[in-house]
Amino acid sequence: MKYDAVVMGGGLAGLICGIRLTQSGLSCAIVSAGQNALHFSSGSLDLLTHLPDGTQVEQPLSMLEALKQQAPSHPYSLIGAEKVAELAKLAQTTLQQAGLHLKGSCEENHYRITPLGHKRMTWLSPESVPTTALHQPMELGKIAVVGIEGFLDFQPQMVADELDRQGLEAEACYVHLPLLDRLRENPSEFRAINVARWLDRPENMAQIVEEIAPLVANADAVFMPACIGLDSEEPMLELQKRLGKPLFLLPTLPPSLLGIRLHEMLLRQFRRQGGIMMPGDKVTSVNFVGSRIESVQTRNHGNISLKAKHFVLATGSFFNNGLVAKFDQVYEPLMNLDLGEIGDRAKWTNKEFFASQPYMAFGVQTDGNLRGKKHGETIENLYIAGAVLSGFDPLTQGCGAGVSLVTGLYAANEIVNEFAKDQAMQAEVAQ
């Protein structure tokens, strides 16, 4: 099987890369081993919230030069401030074209409300998530925080107490929904996704409204756990309409409905544009010819190779086994690519639990165009994207999703440009 590009990894970086490639008219296959980190995310996307020295970042694009001074090997620093700004804006447009309704701008971060009621800085958030601009109070009036009886992944009283501490007026309450009694019999089944499968059914909407409406009668706005609207926002919008007041969703413990919906909508867009997704598959070997990859073989396709002119490695970090750690060794398991500086084993972690952990910045080393290296030599047609890259801490720097989106689009654009050059050269020869 032959494609213009093969992407290894079906997470945020792999999907956005595949969408851009197919949008440009190239054939692309994504090999995805299994569940990705999006299923465990809040649904909000960070671009950059803190510099390595802890400085808070309110306007990400204006702080990229300062980031380069502190972290010259950060993917943003390698790409360059001007290109990062261009790609961040392209990411916003691409996500919107995929049908995702997100609020926010790469020009300035905003605050989203977390499942515990705290404010956390971010770049883009689903429209259904409660947010507030920087240095501005949240003006929603009286807030009813509604929990679901028996649902342990969301604690409304904790949220209401935290909102009260912020000077807001919030009251917690629990709704009993008889239609969920079957799930209550087994706590392991009482999770956001299973709840949503019941709440999303149109025939259940009247009962849901009947139970919730009296509890929120005196409220100006309603906060609920994100347990409604698995496939689309329509059930949530219908409930909001019937309650007659603003309704907002807070992400729950994983698996996260908002994260899953983000993944599914990107996947649909990729497939709509002609992309080939190979779920539950895994690249098992890579065939090199000189300094280029000729083909890869996968677990499900046996001896049938996937050939392409370009390849993208977007297999994620330790969570997705894109990187593997042993007691005294960290390595990239597929091609044993060169990694950034690792250091002594004693320096992999920080004793301060909430401090930046050095191992979070481990990853594959690249050249200035994000092409992977092996034994110091650049692999000409292999681009690296997302969490498998070295040089950044996605948690303490608040840039995980941003790095995935920006580097995924960067890799796609480099591939598109290469094809354009080849076509121009062929046309010149033909003349």
Side-chain angles (χ1 to χ4, degrees), residues 233-342:
E233 294 180 330
E234 292 305 315
M236 177 265 182
L237 295 175
E238 178 63 22
L239 178 57
Q240 178 177 251
K241 178 182 177 182
R242 295 203 189 190
L243 292 176
K245 53 195 67 182
L247 171 63
F248 298 95
L249 302 180
L250 294 176
T252 65
L253 291 175
S256 164
L257 179 143
L258 296 175
I260 290 174
R261 191 166 69 201
L262 170 61
H263 172 260
E264 289 300 315
M265 294 193 74
L266 290 175
L267 178 57
R268 288 175 203 164
Q269 181 72 358
F270 174 65
R271 284 174 165 161
R272 272 197 299 266
Q273 295 176 174
I276 303 297
M277 175 61 74
M278 300 178 180
D281 203 353
K282 182 180 180 180
V283 174
T284 54
S285 64
V286 179
N287 306 310
F288 288 89
V289 175
S291 59
R292 297 180 64 86
I293 298 175
E294 181 187 50
S295 63
V296 298
Q297 290 180 295
T298 74
R299 179 175 55 201
N300 293 351
H301 288 86
N303 294 326
I304 301 175
S305 298
L306 305 184
K307 297 182 178 181
K309 287 189 176 181
H310 296 276
F311 295 83
V312 179
L313 183 73
T315 46
S317 187
F318 299 102
F319 179 81
N320 304 94
N321 292 320
L323 296 175
V324 174
K326 292 188 176 180
F327 182 78
D328 59 351
Q329 179 190 14
V330 176
Y331 62 95
E332 187 280 314
L334 184 56
M335 291 171 273
N336 197 25
L337 298 175
D338 294 348
L339 301 187
E341 185 177 354
I342 300 298

Side-chain angles (χ1 to χ4, degrees), residues 69-391:
Q69 294 298 318
Q70 296 184 26
S73 60
H74 193 289
Y76 292 165
S77 302
L78 296 178
I79 292 172
E82 184 177 344
K83 184 65 70 173
V84 170
E86 175 189 324
L87 294 173
K89 293 172 184 176
L90 176 60
Q92 292 176 181
T93 302
T94 305
L95 293 169
Q96 184 179 18
Q97 291 171 342
L100 288 158
H101 302 135
L102 302 171
K103 49 190 172 182
S105 167
C106 56
E107 303 290 344
E108 183 173 85
N109 287 322
H110 63 269
Y111 286 116
R112 67 176 176 90
I113 305 300
T114 73
L116 296 178
H118 299 285
K119 291 194 297 185
R120 189 184 187 283
M121 197 178 287
T122 193
W123 167 31
L124 298 172
S125 292
E127 288 188 348
S128 57
V129 171
T131 60
T132 182
L134 301 180
H135 312 299
Q136 292 185 19
M138 180 178 287
E139 297 178 351
L140 290 176
K142 187 175 182 181
I143 302 169
V145 184
V146 180
I148 300 173
E149 283 190 10
F151 183 65
L152 303 179
D153 293 348
F154 180 78
Q155 300 299 321
Q157 191 61 59
M158 294 178 67
V159 177
D161 290 346
E162 179 58 33
L163 294 176
D164 286 338
R165 280 191 285 271
Q166 297 175 25
L168 302 171
E169 186 180 1
E171 184 176 345
C173 57
Y174 282 92
V175 61
H176 177 78
L177 296 172
L179 61 94
L180 299 178
D181 285 346
R182 185 180 301 176
L183 292 179
R184 288 190 184 88
E185 295 174 1
N186 187 347
S188 65
E189 295 295 322
F190 211 160
R191 294 290 182 259
I193 306 308
N194 294 329
V195 172
R197 291 192 176 102
W198 287 91
L199 301 191
D200 286 358
R201 296 182 181 181
E203 64 269 23
N204 292 333
M205 183 58 67
Q207 182 184 150
I208 298 168
V209 174
E210 182 181 356
E211 296 290 342
I212 294 179
L215 300 175
V216 302
N218 297 324
D220 300 304
V222 180
F223 286 9
M224 283 183 60
C227 296
I228 186 170
L230 178 58
D231 296 321
S232 75
E233 294 180 330
E234 292 305 315
M236 177 265 182
L237 295 175
E238 178 63 22
L239 178 57
Q240 178 177 251
K241 178 182 177 182
R242 295 203 189 190
L243 292 176
K245 53 195 67 182
L247 171 63
F248 298 95
L249 302 180
L250 294 176
T252 65
L253 291 175
S256 164
L257 179 143
L258 296 175
I260 290 174
R261 191 166 69 201
L262 170 61
H263 172 260
E264 289 300 315
M265 294 193 74
L266 290 175
L267 178 57
R268 288 175 203 164
Q269 181 72 358
F270 174 65
R271 284 174 165 161
R272 272 197 299 266
Q273 295 176 174
I276 303 297
M277 175 61 74
M278 300 178 180
D281 203 353
K282 182 180 180 180
V283 174
T284 54
S285 64
V286 179
N287 306 310
F288 288 89
V289 175
S291 59
R292 297 180 64 86
I293 298 175
E294 181 187 50
S295 63
V296 298
Q297 290 180 295
T298 74
R299 179 175 55 201
N300 293 351
H301 288 86
N303 294 326
I304 301 175
S305 298
L306 305 184
K307 297 182 178 181
K309 287 189 176 181
H310 296 276
F311 295 83
V312 179
L313 183 73
T315 46
S317 187
F318 299 102
F319 179 81
N320 304 94
N321 292 320
L323 296 175
V324 174
K326 292 188 176 180
F327 182 78
D328 59 351
Q329 179 190 14
V330 176
Y331 62 95
E332 187 280 314
L334 184 56
M335 291 171 273
N336 197 25
L337 298 175
D338 294 348
L339 301 187
E341 185 177 354
I342 300 298
D344 297 335
R345 176 65 178 83
K347 297 179 180 179
W348 290 6
T349 58
N350 191 318
K351 292 181 179 179
E352 296 294 328
F353 184 77
F354 291 104
S356 178
Q357 298 295 330
Y359 72 87
M360 293 298 294
F362 293 172
V364 173
Q365 187 180 45
T366 70
D367 67 3
N369 293 322
L370 298 189
R371 293 181 298 179
K373 293 183 176 184
K374 186 177 175 71
H375 305 314
E377 297 293 327
T378 297
I379 303 172
E380 296 177 7
N381 63 340
L382 173 66
Y383 293 92
I384 314 298
V388 72
L389 283 163
S390 68

Side-chain angles (χ1 to χ4, degrees), residues 2-5 26 292 308-310 380-381 383 413-431:
K2 191 171 183 179
Y3 304 91
D4 293 324
L26 300 182
R292 297 180 64 86
K309 287 189 176 181
H310 296 276
E380 296 177 7
N381 63 340
Y383 293 92
N413 281 351
E414 289 291 296
I415 293 171
V416 171
N417 292 337
E418 285 294 321
F419 272 96
K421 289 178 184 177
D422 290 344
Q423 289 175 353
M425 189 176 296
Q426 290 172 7
E428 186 177 340
V429 171
Q431 291 176 355

